[in-house]
Amino acid sequence: MAVGFEAGASLPTARQSLGQGRTDYLGNLIVSQDIADLRIDINAGVTRKGFKEEELDRLRYSWAVAASHPLTERWGIAGEFFRRFS
């Protein structure tokens, strides 16, 4: 099993008319487990928007579950379920 944490920021680089003009911050927890040849990854994250939009919370949450399995030495199959919500 492997566990990791990712943290970052999206800096405002666009002109005000194109972007929001504020910095967004994010955090993401990642857990990965191999069961025989099957790899399972689970991610859970939160983003704090720098600009509060009307009727939307400033915090945005997401989660994802992915699995992959090799079919041959060069080929494999993978799938992912993802959900983002406020």
Side-chain angles (χ1 to χ4, degrees), residues 64-77:
V65 176
S68 62
H69 190 279
L71 297 175
T72 68
E73 188 175 312
R74 295 182 60 194
W75 293 93
I77 188 167

Side-chain angles (χ1 to χ4, degrees), residues 3 6-7 12 35 40 45 48-49 58-59 68-69 81 84:
V3 178
E6 168 188 30
I35 302 171
I40 300 171
R48 182 188 182 275
K49 301 296 283 181
R58 195 172 232 180
L59 295 175
S68 62
H69 190 279
F81 294 100
R84 180 176 296 157

Side-chain angles (χ1 to χ4, degrees), residues 18-57:
L18 294 176
Q20 64 178 355
R22 306 267 171 80
T23 302
D24 296 340
Y25 298 96
L26 67 94
N28 192 36
L29 177 65
I30 306 160
V31 178
S32 182
Q33 176 71 47
D34 289 343
I35 302 171
D37 286 340
L38 179 66
R39 170 160 291 167
I40 300 171
D41 297 315
I42 301 171
N43 299 307
V46 61
T47 300
R48 182 188 182 275
K49 301 296 283 181
F51 178 78
K52 181 160 179 10
E53 299 176 48
E54 283 187 39
E55 300 181 19
L56 290 177
D57 190 2

